[in-house]
Amino acid sequence: MNPRLVTIAGPLKGMIFPLVGAQASIGRDPANQLCLNDLSVSRQHCLIQREGAQFTLSDLESLNCTFVNSVPVKEQALTHGDCLKVGDYLFLFLLDDEGALSASCPVQLDQGQLVTQTTTLLRREDARLLHPEKTPLGLPPEVRLARDFNVLLRIGKAISSPGNLEALQRQLLDFMVEVIPAERGAILLAGKNREEFASVFGWSRRPSLKQPIQVSRTVAHQVLEEGVAVLSNEVSEDTAFNAAQSLVASRVHSLLAVPLVVFEKVIGVSYLDSSDPLVHFDEDHLHLMTAIAGIAAVALENARRMEWLEGENQRLQAEINLEHDMIGDSPRMRAVYQTIAKVAPTDSTVLIRGESGTGKELVARAVHRNSPRASKPFVAINCAALTETLLESELFGYEKGAFTGATTQKKGKLEVADGGTVFLDEMGELAPALQAKLLRVLQEHEFERVGGTRPIKANLRLIAATNRDLEAAIKQGGFRQDLYFRLNVVSLTMPPLRERREDIPPLANYFATKYGQKCKRTVKGISAEARVRLMSYGWPGNVRELENAIERAVVLGSTDLIQPEDLPDALLEMEPDSGTPTTKYEETLRETKKQLVLKALEQTGGNQSEAAKLLGMHPSNLHRLIQNLKLKR
């Protein structure tokens, strides 16, 4: 874990601030651990506290508020990748260094044993080019070192030039095979899970054969875990390789594998092999390759980290530049934002699925706002709100005299949205006749007004939304299959609120601030007890229901924090989970409701309709209350 703040906007852009210790205060006062000398920052602005692996950000009643992922917060648990705004400064909160990079050439890891009677193991501390005093007798030491250092100097000069990871790996392997007679090579970089390699790059003298390079998983992991270099000859002739059928098929005769070490940590493996029986790798090759790996390892790690940072920067810029009105930073919502960013620049039809109240129209508006059609109209139509006749007139318009009351010509929504986007909400409720007409719009890009004969060209993008199961509707004959295929070019599903509960606190805080300002009263946030109730409720109405609940709490509440008693009865009537703290007020209220309902049912002989009359409430409300209080029996 490497917790830190990376400045991505503001006067200190590019600076990295490690988070060490139990807490780090941020503000304009020089006494803060992170001093931001700017008038947009309060003297004591916010505080980051650490408890184990958990980091929590607390706003210290700052003048301009503290924002996490564009949402003002009082207290917020931080996760990897969160975006923090303090005054005019924008920080990226990072915990881990990781990044999975794709392979450039096919590499297969074989399970067979590779150590033979001709195998030589070399530990890093014995590598003579890393430790010249260990050069053996034979050639004079100065002659051997002059020859080998000439190669190393050329490699050092080459890898010092900035470049991407793939180019660096290719260049490194080119240098290796220039001084070592290998036919194939590979560089494997370990990931966070050291059982698998996050990056593999393969190289061959004969790439036209398109055969994957076979690398023994046993040797690769031995080099990775033990930090030893391996030299082996006569691989295909040894019985120890019978289990490695792929290596036998490749006729591998000699191989070299050395560790890539950065700050005493093995980050990967450099591998060479040859199928030529006349080629034998010797200890000089082993020592030279170990030295090359020792020089190149830092450059490889830096290139990998740079690519990861560039990827993180692009992802963050895409999220920052993506204009939308949605709130939430859960993995499910991040996936939604990424899909919007990919589909918005195109003209593809989008089908948005999800339960009522999940924010499907917000997604449609975000797609339009981030598309080339953003300057053109966005027209939203609820297909379930109008009758078939009225909806047809709304969509396609009508000519004068088309029907009784049509005293003038009227343009339809499709015509008004020319060049822009049409959003059809509750698409599953569209009548069959209108489905056929809409299909023609999608296929031919034209339509006719009601009562008209002249085709009108339609330059528009269609986005549809539904909370129905369209596949089931097709089987039942309620929805056209051909229209479904036209609509379902790109499908995006909005997750229900119960599946992204981590977004409930920021949503609730946002609505509390919004309606606090609207009602002109100070609301600082949500109390801990009320937050527990919000998090444990099922939210069948999703974000829309949450917004209504917070608005009610702001209107009826009397303190600067929203309390459990300010929330709707449905949240308080729910049976609390084991271990969930409840107040005496909640327990008393729940028990009183139980007794009133049981007494009414007893007086009416179990007749719920009569009991509802006796209690002065609607039967459906009594039925809901009985379910929430678990009094069915």
Side-chain angles (χ1 to χ4, degrees), residues 110-163:
D110 186 87
Q111 300 287 0
Q113 299 291 328
L114 289 182
V115 180
T116 73
Q117 68 271 19
T118 59
T119 296
T120 300
L121 300 181
L122 176 68
R123 299 194 176 275
R124 191 166 180 269
E125 57 269 23
D126 296 327
R128 70 169 70 104
L129 290 180
L130 296 179
H131 303 277
E133 70 279 4
K134 297 186 179 182
T135 302
L137 298 175
L139 285 177
E142 62 275 9
V143 176
R144 183 185 295 276
L145 291 178
R147 182 196 68 181
D148 293 342
F149 279 148
N150 179 51
V151 176
L152 297 178
L153 286 172
R154 291 172 57 206
I155 293 175
K157 182 179 178 180
I159 65 175
S160 64
S161 303

Side-chain angles (χ1 to χ4, degrees), residues 57-73:
L57 174 73
S58 302
D59 181 76
L60 302 177
E61 302 296 331
S62 62
L63 181 63
N64 294 325
C65 299
T66 304
F67 295 79
V68 176
N69 301 318
S70 303
V71 179
V73 299

Side-chain angles (χ1 to χ4, degrees), residues 68-69 78-83 92-94 312 315-316 319 322 324 326-342 492 494-495 500 502-503:
V68 176
N69 301 318
L78 297 177
T79 58
H80 178 72
D82 279 345
C83 185
L92 182 65
F93 175 72
L94 298 178
E312 280 291 295
R315 180 192 67 78
L316 184 63
E319 290 189 10
L322 183 69
H324 63 83
M326 290 170 283
I327 293 174
D329 198 44
S330 62
R332 295 290 298 274
M333 288 305 296
R334 285 190 180 184
V336 169
Y337 301 149
Q338 290 170 3
T339 303
I340 293 174
K342 290 178 182 178
L492 189 156
M494 284 298 291
R500 55 180 186 111
E502 56 266 54
D503 291 333

Side-chain angles (χ1 to χ4, degrees), residues 145-456:
L145 291 178
R147 182 196 68 181
D148 293 342
F149 279 148
N150 179 51
V151 176
L152 297 178
L153 286 172
R154 291 172 57 206
I155 293 175
K157 182 179 178 180
I159 65 175
S160 64
S161 303
N164 61 43
L165 179 62
E166 182 175 332
L168 180 59
Q169 291 176 118
R170 185 185 305 277
Q171 191 175 42
L172 183 60
L173 287 171
D174 284 342
F175 275 113
M176 287 183 182
V177 299
E178 183 179 331
V179 292
I180 300 174
E183 293 182 21
R184 292 168 296 271
I187 293 178
L188 304 93
L189 299 179
K192 189 174 182 180
N193 175 12
R194 295 178 68 83
E195 292 299 317
E196 299 296 333
F197 291 99
S199 168
V200 291
F201 181 90
W203 176 94
S204 174
R205 289 188 186 274
R206 295 182 292 175
S208 58
L209 297 179
K210 297 182 179 180
Q211 293 179 345
I213 298 169
Q214 307 294 340
V215 178
S216 164
R217 187 180 298 273
T218 302
V219 164
H221 280 287
Q222 181 183 9
V223 174
L224 191 66
E225 296 303 324
E226 299 180 15
V228 298
V230 176
L231 161 65
S232 185
N233 288 301
E234 300 179 7
V235 172
S236 59
E237 299 175 4
D238 196 277
T239 56
F241 299 115
N242 291 338
Q245 296 298 326
S246 55
L247 288 172
V248 175
S250 300
R251 297 184 175 86
V252 174
H253 184 269
S254 302
L255 68 84
L256 279 171
V258 301
L260 297 164
V261 182
V262 176
F263 299 124
E264 304 304 320
K265 178 182 178 182
V266 182
I267 65 162
V269 178
S270 181
Y271 170 89
L272 295 177
D273 73 26
S274 175
S275 302
D276 190 345
L278 300 178
V279 171
H280 281 72
F281 297 148
D282 56 29
E283 289 195 23
D284 282 346
H285 296 142
L286 182 62
H287 284 276
L288 182 58
M289 189 171 172
T290 302
I292 293 173
I295 295 174
V298 174
L300 288 170
E301 182 68 0
N302 287 340
R304 179 164 66 160
R305 285 176 178 269
M306 184 60 68
E307 287 200 354
W308 178 80
L309 284 174
E310 288 175 354
E312 280 291 295
N313 183 54
Q314 291 173 3
R315 180 192 67 78
L316 184 63
Q317 289 295 332
E319 290 189 10
I320 292 174
N321 295 331
L322 183 69
E323 297 183 26
H324 63 83
D325 297 321
M326 290 170 283
I327 293 174
D329 198 44
S330 62
R332 295 290 298 274
M333 288 305 296
R334 285 190 180 184
V336 169
Y337 301 149
Q338 290 170 3
T339 303
I340 293 174
K342 290 178 182 178
V343 74
T346 72
D347 267 342
S348 300
T349 304
V350 181
L351 178 61
I352 307 171
R353 300 171 180 263
E355 298 176 7
S356 178
T358 52
K360 297 187 288 296
E361 184 170 343
L362 292 179
V363 174
R365 290 185 180 275
V367 171
H368 172 72
R369 194 186 303 177
N370 294 277
S371 73
R373 299 175 179 267
S375 60
K376 299 296 183 179
F378 176 88
V379 179
I381 305 170
N382 191 325
C383 300
L386 301 172
T387 64
E388 179 181 346
T389 305
L390 288 176
L391 183 59
E392 183 179 16
S393 300
E394 281 292 307
L395 280 173
F396 303 105
Y398 53 80
E399 298 287 354
K400 181 179 179 180
F403 50 83
T404 303
T407 57
T408 59
Q409 182 194 77
K410 180 184 176 182
K411 291 183 178 181
K413 299 289 188 182
L414 298 181
E415 195 170 351
V416 170
D418 184 52
T421 303
V422 172
F423 172 58
L424 297 181
D425 199 5
E426 304 296 345
M427 185 68 192
E429 307 299 326
L430 201 63
L434 292 181
Q435 292 179 29
K437 290 190 175 183
L438 186 62
L439 179 62
R440 184 190 173 205
V441 174
L442 292 172
Q443 290 178 333
E444 307 298 334
H445 302 287
E446 64 179 26
F447 61 92
E448 295 173 1
R449 297 192 188 102
V450 176
T453 57
R454 180 176 61 88
I456 299 171

